Amino acid sequence: MKPLRVLIVDDSVTMRRLIRSILEADPRLEVIAEAGTAREARDAVNTYRPDVMTLDIEMPNMSGLEFLDRLMRHRPMPVIMVSTLTRKGSDVAVEAMSLGAIDCVEKPKVGASEDTFSKLADTVVLAARARVSGPRPKNQTITPRQNRTFQRICLIGGSTGAVDAIERTLQSFPSDCPPTLITQHMPEPFLVSFAARLNPLVAPEVRLAVDGMPLIPGQVLIAPGGRIISILRELPLCASVFLRDPLCQDTDLPWIPCFCLPVTWLTKLSRVF
């Protein structure tokens, strides 16, 4: 199998060399070009047609986020953000992933060893296999129906690269949408920022789920990190969120199967939804 072709974009020559040395040590990857600015990156994309790109945030003339936005509009491709600003859970990381980045990796701090990048090659390989599409037109606002009631709830499960898809999906929801539960496979700090970012962008209210919180129309609940979310029936057409600790340790809980299986079991048991 041919190695995946990688383009490295960073204004620091030293950082480009470090990233190159790590990626080229993996036989699954081949670094085919480097770029120090957004313009150089644009030209390299057109010339070399890479399978995946690593992209810095802080660059001269045009930031990595602005370039990412333009790239996804004109030539969508898998992108991994590599920056001191893209710590898991940071606002910049959430924005980058909402623009279409597959994942974010924090650069090593001054004096840190290369172990900070220990999973960089695996992250790039996984990103290169992702299906990436350009931005879709924003959906028109759906007018809420009068006296609307629901017999069902909406369940959404997303992996690492699903941030943009979830945001677009929720933008089509009316303010009185069915009770909605989301499991996004990311660390807890990211989920806090994700909920805060979504809330002003969509019509329903978006919150992190809290144990015992009732399921009501017009509310979207995101499973918090480190917990498994289920549904507990209380009365006909009335239910609440039930959070429990995992049976095994997983640093990136919530995990989609842990979300779907308990919900399926409880809903079959209650026959409400």
Side-chain angles (χ1 to χ4, degrees):
M1 181 180 295
K2 292 183 178 180
L4 299 167
R5 297 156 53 84
V6 185
L7 169 62
I8 299 172
V9 183
D10 197 299
D11 65 332
S12 168
V13 176
T14 302
M15 186 55 63
R16 293 203 302 270
R17 288 175 179 171
L18 174 59
I19 296 174
R20 174 183 279 271
S21 67
I22 293 171
L23 298 185
E24 288 189 332
D26 192 310
R28 299 172 296 176
L29 300 170
E30 175 189 5
V31 178
I32 46 97
E34 298 179 10
T37 65
R39 176 171 292 184
E40 291 177 2
R42 179 200 63 189
D43 294 341
V45 167
N46 293 331
T47 300
Y48 298 102
R49 315 295 288 182
D51 299 310
V52 60
M53 175 193 302
T54 68
L55 178 61
D56 188 18
I57 297 288
E58 298 176 293
M59 297 192 299
N61 301 321
M62 182 185 296
S63 73
L65 289 179
E66 185 178 354
F67 176 68
L68 176 66
D69 184 35
R70 296 189 181 190
L71 179 71
M72 291 302 171
R73 293 178 185 278
H74 300 288
R75 207 280 193 183
M77 62 174 294
V79 176
I80 297 291
M81 306 304 296
V82 181
S83 172
T84 56
L85 302 177
T86 50
R87 174 182 53 83
K88 292 289 186 184
S90 68
D91 292 340
V92 174
V94 174
E95 182 177 0
M97 296 185 73
S98 70
L99 290 174
I102 300 299
D103 206 346
C104 297
V105 176
E106 185 179 10
K107 286 182 179 178
K109 295 180 172 60
V110 177
S113 68
E114 294 184 12
D115 289 343
T116 311
F117 273 174
S118 61
K119 296 183 179 180
L120 179 60
D122 288 337
T123 301
V124 171
V125 170
L126 289 174
R129 296 170 179 167
R131 297 179 181 178
V132 180
S133 60
R136 300 175 183 175
K138 290 187 177 181
N139 297 290
Q140 295 181 349
T141 301
I142 300 178
T143 304
R145 300 175 185 173
Q146 296 294 326
N147 302 320
R148 195 173 185 180
T149 60
F150 297 97
Q151 300 290 326
R152 299 181 180 182
I153 61 172
C154 177
L155 308 179
I156 300 175
S159 188
T160 304
V163 172
D164 181 44
I166 289 176
E167 182 176 317
R168 292 200 306 260
T169 298
L170 292 183
Q171 285 176 340
S172 68
F173 279 31
S175 59
D176 63 343
C177 68
T180 301
L181 298 179
I182 295 178
T183 286
Q184 171 67 39
H185 182 65
M186 293 295 289
E188 185 172 7
F190 172 89
L191 295 170
V192 174
S193 298
F194 186 41
R197 173 182 171 81
L198 282 176
N199 196 48
L201 298 179
V202 301
E205 180 187 21
V206 181
R207 302 176 61 183
L208 281 183
V210 176
D211 196 28
M213 181 178 290
L215 297 180
I216 60 175
Q219 190 172 79
V220 176
L221 301 180
I222 299 177
R227 306 296 300 279
I228 296 175
I229 188 169
S230 302
I231 300 171
L232 182 63
R233 179 192 178 189
E234 297 171 343
L235 296 170
L237 300 182
C238 182
S240 61
V241 169
F242 172 60
L243 299 178
R244 60 185 177 89
D245 294 326
L247 298 177
C248 59
Q249 294 298 318
D250 188 328
T251 56
D252 281 344
L253 278 171
W255 185 41
I256 296 172
C258 292
F259 164 69
C260 293
L261 292 178
V263 167
T264 302
W265 176 68
L266 286 171
T267 54
K268 284 183 178 178
L269 192 67
S270 65
R271 298 182 182 179
V272 171
F273 302 103

